[in-house]
Amino acid sequence: MKMGIRSSPRELLRRYAVILTALLLIAVATISTRGKFLTGNNLLNVGERAASIGIVALGQMLVILSGGMDLSVCGIVAVGYCITDLLLKQGSLAMPLVMLAMILGTTLLGAFNGIIISGTKVPPFMVTLGTYLMYQSLGYVLSGAATLNFQIQQKWMMSAWGLNGTLGRLFPTFLWIGVSLIIIFMLAYTRLGRNIYQVGGSAQAAKMSGINSRGIKLLVYTLCGTLCGIAALTLEFRLRFCNVSSTTSLQISSIAAVIIGGASLKGGEGHVYGTFVGSFIIGSLDNLMNLVGVNVYSQDIVKGTVLLCFMCLTSLISSKKGGSAMEQ
C-alpha cells in the first residue's frame, strides 16, 4: 500500500488560512468588545447578517469556479426587492406565489447574464458591469428610490412557518446552511459539479472532453440569479424595510467572501466550506465595527485593508522558489 503524500506546513497553512483568519477575528472581537461579541444575541446578529452575504457568495463562487465573475449581484437583489414590492401592492397573488415569482424573476436576470456571456466573447467582467448598471437603475425606477415595506410578507412567514422569536432570527442562517449543503452535494457528487470545475480549470480541455462549456456558463449565472433571489428573501424577512441602495455592499462582500475562502479568480479552484467561512468573516467584521463604533463611512477602509492583507498573506504563503504554487 502506498503511503499518502504528507502535506508541508506551508501547504497546510495555505489550505486552512481561512479557518485561522476566522479564529483570529473571533479572538480579536471577543477581547475588543469584552466578551460581548460571543453573547448569544450578538451571534444571532452575526448569523443574520452573514446569511444574506453567504447565499449571494455561494452563487458568486459557482460563477468564479467556472472562470467568470458577476458584478451584477447587488442589482439582481435590488430588482428582487422591487418585484416583491410590486406584487404585494398588486395583492392578487398568494404569498408563496409572490416569493416564487420574485425568485423566478432574479433567476431570469441571472440567465440573461449567462446568455450574453456564453453566446459572445465579451469578458464576464464587462458584461456583468453593464448589467449591474441596468439592474440597479431598473431598481431605482421601479421603487422610485423609496424605502420598500415588507412587513406583510414577514408577518405571513412568521405565522405560516412558525418563525417567531429565536427561530425567526435563526431562519436566515438555517436557509444559508441548507443551500450550502445542496451546493456541496452538487459540486462533490454530481457530474455537473465536476464539469464546473473543469470548465474553470481549462475551458479548452473541457471542450476536448466533450463538456458543453457554454451550457455550464449559462447554468452557473442562472443559479447565481436564483441564489440572489433567495438572499433577497432573507433580507426582506429580516429587515422588513429595504432600499435599493442598501444592496450595493453585496457586490464587494460576496466577491471578498469567495476570495477569502480560498477560491482562485482564475477559476477551477474553491470550496463551499471556504466561502461559508469567508462569509462568516465578512459578517463578523461588519458586526465588530458596529460594536466598537467605527464610522459607517470608514468601514469599507477597514474591510478593504483586511482583504488586501489576506490576499498578500495568502500569496506569500503560496509562493515558492522559482514561482507561485497558485500558478502551477
Side-chain angles (χ1 to χ4, degrees):
M1 183 179 294
K2 292 183 179 181
M3 297 293 292
I5 298 174
R6 184 174 298 177
S7 298
S8 67
R10 177 175 296 196
E11 173 61 23
L12 289 172
L13 185 59
R14 186 186 71 84
R15 187 179 301 172
Y16 298 108
V18 65
I19 301 294
L20 296 175
T21 301
L23 293 175
L24 178 61
L25 177 60
I26 291 172
V28 171
T30 303
I31 294 170
S32 61
T33 62
R34 299 182 180 180
K36 186 177 180 180
F37 179 82
L38 286 181
T39 60
N41 183 62
N42 190 64
L43 289 176
L44 287 174
N45 289 334
V46 173
E48 287 178 309
R49 188 173 188 88
S52 55
I53 297 171
I55 294 172
V56 174
L58 289 169
Q60 190 74 257
M61 183 198 72
L62 292 176
V63 169
I64 289 175
L65 283 178
S66 71
M69 181 178 289
D70 193 343
L71 299 180
S72 71
V73 290
C74 54
I76 294 176
V77 173
V79 175
Y81 286 169
C82 297
I83 293 173
T84 302
D85 178 67
L86 292 173
L87 292 176
L88 289 176
K89 288 178 179 177
Q90 200 268 339
S92 62
L93 285 181
M95 194 63 69
L97 293 179
V98 170
M99 293 184 286
L100 287 174
M102 183 271 284
I103 294 174
L104 175 60
T106 61
T107 299
L108 292 175
L109 294 179
F112 181 70
N113 287 340
I115 289 170
I116 298 175
I117 290 167
S118 62
T120 69
K121 294 184 179 181
V122 181
F125 178 90
M126 295 304 300
V127 171
T128 56
L129 178 60
T131 56
Y132 154 68
L133 296 173
M134 293 166 53
Y135 299 158
Q136 197 75 9
S137 295
L138 179 61
Y140 282 117
V141 170
L142 293 175
S143 67
T147 299
L148 306 179
N149 186 340
F150 301 108
Q151 289 188 93
I152 295 174
Q153 176 180 275
Q154 187 205 49
K155 289 179 180 177
W156 183 90
M157 293 172 69
M158 292 177 69
S159 175
W161 297 349
L163 300 176
N164 296 303
T166 303
L167 185 58
R169 298 193 64 188
L170 286 170
F171 166 69
T173 304
F174 285 157
L175 189 58
W176 176 28
I177 293 171
V179 171
S180 297
L181 292 174
I182 291 172
I183 294 180
I184 286 173
F185 177 83
M186 181 187 77
L187 291 176
Y189 300 106
T190 70
R191 184 176 181 179
L192 171 61
R194 292 191 292 273
N195 288 350
I196 291 173
Y197 277 105
Q198 285 185 282
V199 169
S202 174
Q204 185 62 33
K207 184 177 180 180
M208 294 177 66
S209 301
I211 296 173
N212 183 356
S213 298
R214 290 185 176 182
I216 293 295
K217 290 179 180 180
L218 172 59
L219 180 61
V220 294
Y221 282 94
T222 301
L223 288 174
C224 187
T226 301
L227 291 169
C228 285
I230 296 173
L233 180 64
T234 67
L235 288 165
E236 292 166 358
F237 174 79
R238 179 170 72 91
L239 299 177
R240 294 179 295 172
F241 298 94
C242 301
N243 189 289
V244 168
S245 62
S246 67
T247 66
T248 53
S249 64
L250 288 172
Q251 183 185 69
I252 300 302
S253 293
S254 63
I255 296 173
V258 177
I259 294 173
I260 290 174
S264 170
L265 290 177
K266 297 178 181 179
E269 182 182 345
H271 302 281
V272 173
Y273 92 88
T275 298
F276 189 94
V277 178
S279 301
F280 170 80
I281 290 172
I282 297 297
S284 298
L285 188 59
D286 287 338
N287 175 263
L288 174 60
M289 289 189 291
N290 290 331
L291 287 178
V292 299
V294 176
N295 185 288
V296 65
Y297 299 111
S298 303
Q299 291 188 6
D300 282 345
I301 297 175
V302 176
K303 285 195 284 188
T305 302
V306 170
L307 178 60
L308 184 59
C309 290
F310 184 87
M311 291 293 293
C312 291
L313 179 61
T314 302
S315 177
L316 182 63
I317 292 171
S318 301
S319 64
K320 294 180 179 180
K321 283 185 179 181
S324 169
M326 294 179 68
E327 296 173 353
Q328 293 182 354

